Amino acid sequence: MLIGALLAKKGNHVVTVRPRSTVTELLAVLADNNIGAAVVSDDGSSISGIVSERDVVRGLNERGAAVLDAPVSAIMTTEVRTCGPGVKVEDLRQTMTTHRIRHVPVVVDDRLAGIVSIGDVVKSAIEALETEKAHLVDYLHR
């Protein structure tokens, strides 16, 4: 399965925050959307960075509560791994596992087109295994 097919099933909505948003505002966005990360973008389609709950925890550990008033740009990851819709889900799973990343923005023509989480990738793998199992059971019962 390709990432584009996965996005077609799950949708391509991406929650973004502006680099100058405060960490407190970020936390509200994450909580309101029940997500663990947001893409940092000035315009909703370019990528300045990505910021996750883990980034907030690290910031709290390093700076204390003062980080809550800091801009998201102060804690975000700026070297963002992205992929295109033509990438195989299994290849992205390997990349995510190897590099210990949980969220990968999907980009088309240098524009944000979706986001894939490790949960999406695992769900896709489970669905593929369940389909394969059903085919094998069907074959055995013929």
Side-chain angles (χ1 to χ4, degrees):
M1 175 185 270
L2 299 179
I3 294 299
L6 190 151
L7 283 179
K9 287 170 98 175
K10 82 165 236 173
N12 63 353
H13 176 70
V14 182
V15 175
T16 62
V17 294
R18 294 183 183 273
R20 64 185 169 277
S21 299
T22 66
V23 173
T24 298
E25 291 168 333
L26 164 70
L27 290 172
V29 168
L30 296 178
D32 290 348
N33 290 280
N34 195 29
I35 56 175
V39 173
V40 182
S41 175
D42 273 316
D43 59 11
S45 61
S46 62
I47 300 174
S48 301
I50 192 163
V51 64
S52 71
E53 298 162 325
R54 288 182 179 185
D55 295 316
V56 175
V57 169
R58 284 187 198 103
L60 284 167
N61 182 57
E62 293 168 6
R63 303 180 213 176
V67 77
L68 297 173
D69 294 323
V72 168
S73 60
I75 65 167
M76 71 182 184
T77 300
T78 56
E79 291 184 26
V80 181
R81 288 190 181 271
T82 63
C83 73
V87 171
K88 292 181 183 176
V89 172
E90 57 206 49
D91 292 342
L92 183 59
R93 178 180 39 144
Q94 184 63 41
T95 298
M96 294 175 90
T97 302
T98 300
H99 298 283
R100 298 183 55 138
I101 51 178
R102 295 170 45 195
H103 301 88
V104 176
V106 180
V107 176
V108 175
D109 297 326
D110 294 324
R111 313 284 290 170
L112 188 58
I115 192 164
V116 177
S117 72
I118 192 68
D120 299 328
V121 171
V122 169
K123 181 180 177 187
S124 173
I126 290 169
E127 289 172 355
L129 289 171
E130 288 174 348
T131 300
E132 184 177 348
K133 175 187 168 192
H135 287 296
L136 290 171
V137 168
D138 183 52
Y139 175 79
L140 291 172
H141 289 281
R142 286 185 184 184

